[in-house]
Amino acid sequence: MNLKRTASFLTAAFVMIFSFTSCKDGKSDKDNMIEMNIPDGIGMSESQLPYGATMTELRPENNPEVRITTEYDHRFLEKEEACLVSDYLYALQKKDTEQIKKLFFPALMDYVVKEAEMKSAEEYVEYSYSNLSGAFGGDFEFTYIDITDLTNGLDEPDAFGGVDARITAGTGSDTIGSVTSKKMVVLEGVTMYRLGDGTEKMVTKALSVPISICIYRIDGQYYIV
């Protein structure tokens, strides 16, 4: 198994757009916030701290629409964006093609399947899952999502050139003009999965490169692309 190819395919597999309906407000997340202690004498406001300084954990028991516990820095990501990541990974681990088809923007989905030289969305989802299960060592389910870092398109627009090109090729040039936010999140840290025998392992131990997912806001809605 070429693990780098697996992770690269994962990045391509996240070229999908969610019809955003699954992340409704749950209970307050203030109690789940993890604060970084700043040494005395250092005057820094929260807005000056880097990503990861103030982490929020969305737990299914407090946020029923979140399928998998997800940790993220609320200053850099909206709750809806964190939910997108959780929702997709849940659908992927269930090999729920019908759900994933609902999450894809139809024109882009057709393009991605064709680009992967596959015949159908069902084949695409099965291949995505098989790549992961091969790397992980068997059937799996994600148990924890740790969004450890991100790149913001406002700060580094050149980092999104390839994604923009794919969107344009798949949906037409007008789509990019409707984009108001671009972010690429990285899943490392304590992102975990569980195998069928109950063993839990860290994703970083199985993949040679981290899972990266791009989130765009298009026409006022957040999508994974």
Side-chain angles (χ1 to χ4, degrees), residues 29-30 32-38 44-57 71-77 147:
D29 300 309
K30 285 186 177 180
N32 297 329
M33 190 178 297
I34 302 170
E35 300 288 352
M36 175 179 286
N37 293 322
I38 305 301
M44 294 182 69
S45 66
E46 183 177 290
S47 63
Q48 293 174 303
L49 298 174
Y51 184 94
T54 54
M55 299 294 280
T56 294
E57 190 178 71
E71 187 177 35
Y72 70 105
D73 193 323
H74 64 278
R75 296 170 302 130
F76 292 80
L77 280 179
I147 302 176

Side-chain angles (χ1 to χ4, degrees), residues 12-23:
F14 292 122
V15 181
M16 55 203 62
I17 294 180
F18 284 76
S19 53
F20 188 75
T21 58
S22 59
C23 287

Side-chain angles (χ1 to χ4, degrees), residues 49-222:
L49 298 174
Y51 184 94
T54 54
M55 299 294 280
T56 294
E57 190 178 71
L58 299 177
R59 303 171 185 169
E61 57 266 32
N62 296 331
N63 301 271
E65 301 304 324
V66 177
R67 302 288 192 171
I68 305 166
T69 299
T70 301
E71 187 177 35
Y72 70 105
D73 193 323
H74 64 278
R75 296 170 302 130
F76 292 80
L77 280 179
E78 297 294 331
K79 181 177 180 180
E80 292 87 346
E81 294 172 291
C83 285
L84 283 177
V85 175
S86 177
D87 288 347
Y88 174 68
L89 292 182
Y90 183 82
L92 179 61
Q93 72 186 23
K94 295 297 184 182
K95 295 189 286 187
D96 189 344
T97 300
E98 291 305 311
Q99 178 63 16
I100 290 176
K101 286 167 75 173
K102 294 176 183 178
L103 303 178
F104 264 86
F105 183 73
L108 185 57
M109 176 181 177
D110 292 342
Y111 176 78
V112 171
V113 170
K114 181 179 179 180
E115 187 182 41
E117 299 181 351
M118 302 205 175
K119 297 179 181 179
S120 65
E122 288 77 10
E123 182 183 3
Y124 189 82
V125 171
E126 182 63 39
Y127 185 78
S128 300
Y129 180 87
S130 295
N131 269 271
L132 272 182
S133 63
F136 289 168
D139 290 337
F140 68 91
E141 61 179 19
F142 289 101
T143 58
Y144 200 91
I145 299 170
D146 186 2
I147 302 176
T148 56
D149 202 358
L150 68 75
T151 300
N152 193 316
L154 295 178
D155 301 323
E156 301 183 47
D158 293 343
F160 296 85
V163 180
D164 289 352
R166 184 184 292 117
I167 292 173
T168 298
T171 68
S173 58
D174 291 343
T175 303
I176 291 299
S178 301
V179 175
T180 56
S181 173
K182 303 176 185 180
K183 298 173 186 176
M184 180 175 68
V185 299
V186 177
L187 278 54
E188 286 188 293
V190 292
T191 299
M192 306 288 292
Y193 64 94
R194 181 186 295 122
L195 294 173
D197 63 3
T199 303
E200 286 198 286
K201 297 184 177 182
M202 295 175 64
V203 168
T204 54
K205 300 294 185 181
L207 301 178
S208 60
V209 294
I211 297 174
S212 298
I213 304 174
C214 288
I215 302 172
Y216 278 37
R217 190 176 188 186
I218 306 172
D219 287 330
Q221 293 191 23
Y222 289 110

